[in-house]
Amino acid sequence: SAKCMHLQLENKQGSLNLKLNADRFVVMGDKTHLTNTFCNLIDNAIKYSIDTPEISIQTFNSDANLVMVVSDKGIGIEKEYQDKVFDKFFRVPSNNLHNVKGFGLGLAYIKTIIELHKGEINLESEKQIGTTFTITIPYV
């Protein structure tokens, strides 16, 4: 899946900025679901970018947690929808994004997986400026 991300980014002349500062990065969990979670987040970041995606991924350690931050400079999410984006089937009404397909399950799935790993996911976003997802997963 990392290969397909690179292809997607290359197709759009996008850039990926990595700051992997976590010394401890092993957590106990379901490899497939956690991998899907990050792929989905990065996929969203690419999908909701205008023109050329600029994505940054950061990891660091905080107390007993691994923290991962995925940021984009995409279309952003309006404040009124930010609480709802993790609900099943909710999709932000997109006036001009007809090329984006899906059923709105992505973030609901991601939140479920993170919470099953006793972690949490937070969202910060500003319309037309971008979106940042912060995931915190405790070490075993």
Side-chain angles (χ1 to χ4, degrees):
S1 58
K3 277 184 190 154
C4 90
M5 305 274 164
H6 279 296
L7 276 175
Q8 279 188 64
L9 276 171
E10 278 171 25
N11 287 344
K12 294 189 173 187
Q13 276 93 45
S15 65
L16 181 62
N17 177 13
L18 295 175
K19 289 187 185 138
L20 309 178
N21 297 323
D23 298 323
R24 282 184 72 187
F25 42 78
V26 177
V27 294
M28 183 72 82
D30 185 300
K31 187 178 174 185
T32 305
H33 283 300
L34 283 176
T35 303
N36 286 346
T37 294
F38 294 111
C39 288
N40 278 2
L41 274 184
I42 295 163
D43 193 46
N44 279 351
I46 295 169
K47 207 180 341 188
Y48 293 108
S49 291
I50 309 156
D51 307 324
T52 53
E54 279 183 69
I55 295 159
S56 79
I57 299 171
Q58 196 181 352
T59 65
F60 57 91
N61 304 114
S62 162
D63 303 327
N65 299 304
L66 172 63
V67 182
M68 289 149 288
V69 183
V70 177
S71 301
D72 67 55
K73 293 186 177 168
I75 59 170
I77 300 164
E78 287 158 340
K79 293 270 180 280
E80 63 190 289
Y81 301 126
Q82 290 180 13
D83 289 344
K84 298 177 185 162
V85 293
F86 293 107
D87 296 351
K88 252 187 199 170
F89 305 121
F90 178 79
R91 298 195 64 200
V92 173
S94 57
N95 304 333
N96 54 357
L97 270 185
H98 297 298
N99 59 333
V100 176
K101 293 182 175 46
F103 297 104
L105 285 172
L107 289 173
Y109 163 76
I110 288 170
K111 187 176 189 343
T112 302
I113 296 305
I114 297 302
E115 287 178 350
L116 286 171
H117 288 84
K118 301 195 175 23
E120 57 182 57
I121 180 165
N122 294 302
L123 156 75
E124 283 173 57
S125 187
E126 256 183 87
K127 192 86 177 129
Q128 304 306 330
I129 291 176
T131 303
T132 297
F133 287 97
T134 303
I135 292 173
T136 308
I137 296 183
Y139 300 114
V140 179

